Amino acid sequence: MAQDDQFKKLIAHAKEYGYIFQSSEIYDGLSAVYDYGQMGVELKNNIKKYWWDAMVKMNENIVGIDAAIFMHPETWNASGHTSAFNDPLIDNKDSKKRYRADALVEDHIQKYQAKINKDVEKGRKKFGDSFDEKQFLETNPNVIRNKAKIDEIQSRLVKSLEKDDLVELKQIIIDCEIACPVSGSRNWTDVRQFNLMFETQLGSTADGASKIYLRPETAQGIFVNYLNVQKTGRMKLPFGIAQIGKAFRNEIVARQFIFRMREFEQMEMQFFVKPGTEMEWLEHWREVRINWHKAMGLPEEKYRFHKHDKLAHYANAAYDIEFEFPFGFKELEGIHSRTDFDLSQHQKFSGKKIQYYDPESGESFVPYVVETSIGLDRTFLTILSACLKEEELTKENGESDTRVVLQIPPALAPIKLAVLPLIKKDGLPEKAREIIDELKFDFTCQYDEKDSIGRRYRRQDAIGTPYCVTIDHKTLEDNAVTIRDRDTMKQERVQITELSKIVDDKVSMKKLLKKIY
Ligand code: ATP
């Protein structure tokens, strides 16, 4: 299936089964803002719990906080967001469409990369088993030419961004003859900087009100609380502060469903360390975080690390964990060594001493920070995109059939267990309710009596429920039920008293955590 079609199916499926709705849909929606439905909120809560337990519950030197979205406006002067949290934007005068200028250039570079990939494929076909990709890449004239083009444009792009040279950025677009994908024209405005923070007013009267921002990242809520937590929690270095919360960015081009939203959620952990030890900790968190992803059981080849060549002004090393979304490999999580930049800036702007006294060495210093920052919504999208499958089946009578199944990691599935009376009478619904009343304390259960049992199984497959339990007339005599596994579709007769253990074995979060720790 073409990637575009696959992605459209995913979006339609997410809506049809109550995972994600367009915000304010009855008013034709709000661009790049989404609501999570009855299934979506459960999956989201489970992801949050998995992250929180992995970071806070499993590490005695990490504690959590929940800071407010509104912060003192000076925070954003100290962090550099008011002056530097910008994206360069450019408009096409004919289509009136707005683009991120750097993204236009990057897309253009991708075209040269696609040409190289095509040549490699051709070479592979031509030379068969004797094909040496490395040699081909080093010697093929087409590849060398395209590679040189990529290097040249890339280097100009990096330099222009580093120097904030918007004239040069536009010149690259002109020199590369980049056209607007909508109008096809090269009639561009100048490039200008656009600050991504949303502003609002605090206070009710016009003269007494002051401008404040919706936070564009959760990290600053942690930095400004560093002293509070360190002192009240009597924390010793190295230690971490974790937080899950909303962040807001007025993204210029917000496409790709919940990948790039204007209101989204981050799960961040700032780990405070002694200066000089940050590289060891960066390696440590790189390993722990990739293991967290892999423990979920999505295909491992869909993850890769990307090392930043161009570092943000505050960082001395940075990696992204990228995931292969339906539209290619993109950033899912950042793991950054942020030096003492943020704490030092807050020290300077607030005039309060933000230091750590090391009782062993007798020294005081501003700690260094290694952070792990992951988008909750992007994690949600990795799960939907890797777990939604259309399977070919052969029926008992030999006919072929298909089913749509959402193979969400069982520990994260919104509903763990569906309880289905075979028919709506003869005491079967009552028996089903009895089972739910016992199991609902441990697992999210769903009761369903509508339609044939086959259709009910399909409905549960589509929302990703790991187990279905069917109650039939015999259940009333032998207290046994049929349990069906979502992934194997195998059915087994088991005693009601065994259900809790069977389900728990499959859906326990502990199993995931044990793979990491
Ligand atoms: P990108 O380059 O994709 O804009 P970023 O480098 O600006 O992302 P960070 O500031 O490092 O992102 O934020 C940390 C994480 O927050 C990202 O890895 C991503 O998962 C998530 N995130 C950032 N912006 C958005 C957004 N607009 N919508 C959804 N998630 C986001």
Side-chain angles (χ1 to χ4, degrees):
M1 204 188 309
Q3 286 191 333
D4 250 10
D5 291 346
Q6 202 187 339
F7 195 37
K8 279 187 192 140
K9 280 199 172 168
L10 182 156
I11 296 169
H13 190 93
K15 180 178 175 193
E16 185 177 351
Y17 290 94
Y19 275 89
I20 299 167
F21 307 126
Q22 174 79 57
S23 157
S24 332
E25 196 185 345
I26 57 168
Y27 294 102
D28 295 334
L30 190 62
S31 152
V33 186
Y34 291 91
D35 296 340
Y36 286 83
Q38 67 278 16
M39 290 300 146
V41 68
E42 296 286 345
L43 173 55
K44 214 172 165 200
N45 283 342
N46 293 340
I47 300 170
K48 286 193 217 179
K49 180 164 168 46
Y50 176 41
W51 184 86
W52 191 265
D53 286 359
M55 303 305 273
V56 180
K57 204 167 167 187
M58 294 296 112
N59 292 287
E60 59 185 67
N61 59 350
I62 298 182
V63 292
I65 61 163
D66 183 19
I69 286 169
F70 295 144
M71 299 183 71
H72 192 286
E74 198 62 354
T75 310
W76 307 110
N77 292 332
S79 67
H81 281 80
T82 34
S83 58
F85 195 53
N86 300 321
D87 277 342
L89 71 81
I90 189 165
D91 294 287
N92 182 269
K93 290 183 195 163
D94 298 319
S95 68
K96 311 272 181 256
K97 289 271 172 207
R98 177 161 288 180
Y99 300 92
R100 257 177 75 169
D102 55 335
L104 277 181
V105 178
E106 266 159 16
D107 287 349
H108 185 73
I109 290 174
Q110 282 304 319
K111 287 187 188 151
Y112 286 104
Q113 187 58 47
K115 281 187 192 166
I116 294 177
N117 295 348
K118 219 168 162 187
D119 281 335
V120 169
E121 271 324 300
K122 267 196 211 156
R124 200 187 304 283
K125 271 199 192 125
K126 188 167 162 197
F127 297 111
D129 285 347
S130 62
F131 181 64
D132 180 341
E133 185 171 331
K134 190 163 172 279
Q135 193 192 3
F136 185 83
L137 287 172
E138 281 165 7
T139 54
N140 180 282
N142 281 346
V143 172
I144 294 173
R145 204 175 38 250
N146 285 324
K147 181 105 190 26
K149 204 79 201 148
I150 292 179
D151 291 345
E152 181 209 321
I153 304 172
Q154 186 86 48
S155 132
R156 280 181 72 184
L157 177 66
V158 169
K159 272 192 210 133
S160 69
L161 292 175
E162 268 168 7
K163 288 196 207 140
D164 257 341
D165 187 345
L166 303 182
V167 176
E168 164 67 356
L169 191 49
K170 178 165 181 192
Q171 196 56 46
I172 301 174
I173 291 174
I174 293 169
D175 294 348
C176 291
E177 301 184 347
I178 297 175
C180 165
V182 176
S183 66
S185 91
R186 296 185 201 136
N187 193 5
W188 297 108
T189 61
D190 285 342
V191 178
R192 37 195 205 288
Q193 289 291 18
F194 175 77
N195 193 289
L196 300 185
M197 284 198 294
F198 284 99
E199 293 173 14
T200 186
Q201 303 289 325
L202 188 75
S204 52
T205 56
D207 35 344
S210 62
K211 181 159 85 179
I212 56 164
Y213 301 96
L214 301 188
R215 67 179 176 200
E217 61 174 29
T218 54
Q220 299 305 325
I222 289 179
F223 292 127
V224 300
N225 276 297
Y226 163 80
L227 277 182
N228 286 335
V229 175
Q230 194 270 322
K231 294 228 157 83
T232 58
R234 292 181 297 129
M235 308 299 290
K236 290 207 170 61
L237 289 191
F239 76 93
I241 305 179
Q243 175 169 220
I244 299 176
K246 290 258 178 170
F248 303 82
R249 294 182 188 179
N250 201 0
E251 300 278 2
I252 298 173
V253 186
R255 293 178 268 159
Q256 298 163 327
F257 197 34
I258 56 169
F259 179 81
R260 190 174 298 287
M261 301 155 90
R262 297 203 163 103
E263 173 180 343
F264 58 101
E265 243 173 307
Q266 289 185 315
M267 306 190 284
E268 294 200 299
M269 192 276 298
Q270 267 68 37
F271 200 69
F272 301 94
V273 303
K274 210 171 160 177
T277 64
E278 69 274 15
M279 290 306 160
E280 278 163 54
W281 286 110
L282 184 72
E283 282 312 306
H284 169 82
W285 285 111
R286 233 153 62 85
E287 193 184 327
V288 175
R289 292 305 306 148
I290 194 73
N291 289 343
W292 182 88
H293 289 282
K294 289 185 176 167
M296 283 191 270
L298 311 187
E300 298 209 352
E301 65 278 9
K302 286 194 175 283
Y303 297 93
R304 72 177 187 201
F305 275 108
H306 164 75
K307 188 170 191 284
H308 287 213
D309 297 324
K310 178 184 172 261
L311 291 170
H313 56 284
Y314 51 73
N316 65 0
Y319 289 88
D320 290 338
I321 295 178
E322 295 186 337
F323 184 82
E324 192 179 14
F325 290 97
F327 36 84
F329 272 98
K330 299 272 177 202
E331 173 178 342
L332 165 63
E333 171 160 10
I335 302 163
H336 308 138
S337 173
R338 284 178 84 125
T339 67
D340 59 357
F341 175 78
D342 300 270
L343 291 183
S344 296
Q345 284 292 96
H346 288 304
Q347 182 168 258
K348 191 164 127 200
F349 279 69
S350 68
K352 308 266 167 17
K353 197 168 156 196
I354 305 181
Q355 299 213 338
Y356 178 77
Y357 173 71
D358 185 356
E360 276 165 32
S361 65
E363 288 171 314
S364 286
F365 52 85
V366 181
Y368 268 38
V369 171
V370 174
E371 78 169 0
T372 71
S373 172
I374 176 172
L376 174 54
D377 314 271
R378 285 190 192 176
T379 311
F380 193 110
L381 188 56
T382 66
I383 295 173
L384 279 197
S385 61
C387 300
L388 182 62
K389 310 220 169 104
E390 221 175 277
E391 285 184 350
E392 296 290 335
L393 306 172
T394 314
K395 287 206 249 179
E396 275 170 16
N397 63 8
E399 282 174 23
S400 67
D401 196 5
T402 55
R403 73 160 179 160
V404 174
V405 55
L406 200 48
Q407 289 180 328
I408 299 181
L412 304 179
I415 308 289
K416 306 295 193 224
L417 176 75
V419 185
L420 321 171
L422 194 58
I423 52 168
K424 282 191 245 181
K425 53 184 186 182
D426 301 340
L428 303 190
E430 289 74 10
K431 192 71 186 170
R433 298 269 185 216
E434 220 177 83
I435 295 175
I436 290 183
D437 279 345
E438 186 54 36
L439 296 180
K440 70 183 178 192
F441 297 98
D442 296 316
F443 314 107
T444 338
C445 303
Q446 195 173 73
Y447 175 83
D448 190 5
E449 60 176 23
K450 199 165 172 284
D451 298 326
S452 72
I453 204 77
R455 288 184 73 164
R456 280 182 268 169
Y457 283 159
R458 290 299 155 84
R459 216 157 36 225
Q460 295 299 333
D461 285 346
I463 60 176
T465 308
Y467 280 128
C468 287
V469 161
T470 307
I471 320 297
D472 53 29
H473 289 93
K474 227 163 146 238
T475 307
L476 304 180
E477 294 157 24
D478 63 2
N479 263 327
V481 290
T482 304
I483 186 164
R484 172 187 180 270
D485 183 292
R486 175 194 70 191
D487 302 333
T488 61
M489 293 194 292
K490 286 225 171 77
Q491 302 188 15
E492 238 188 304
R493 194 86 188 159
V494 302
Q495 282 296 306
I496 291 174
T497 47
E498 290 175 71
L499 278 179
S500 176
K501 185 171 178 319
I502 295 173
V503 179
D504 189 59
D505 266 358
K506 179 109 171 178
V507 308
S508 115
M509 193 82 85
K510 187 169 166 183
K511 272 204 181 145
L512 297 198
L513 295 170
K514 282 227 161 178
K515 286 192 203 164
I516 314 170
Y517 293 103

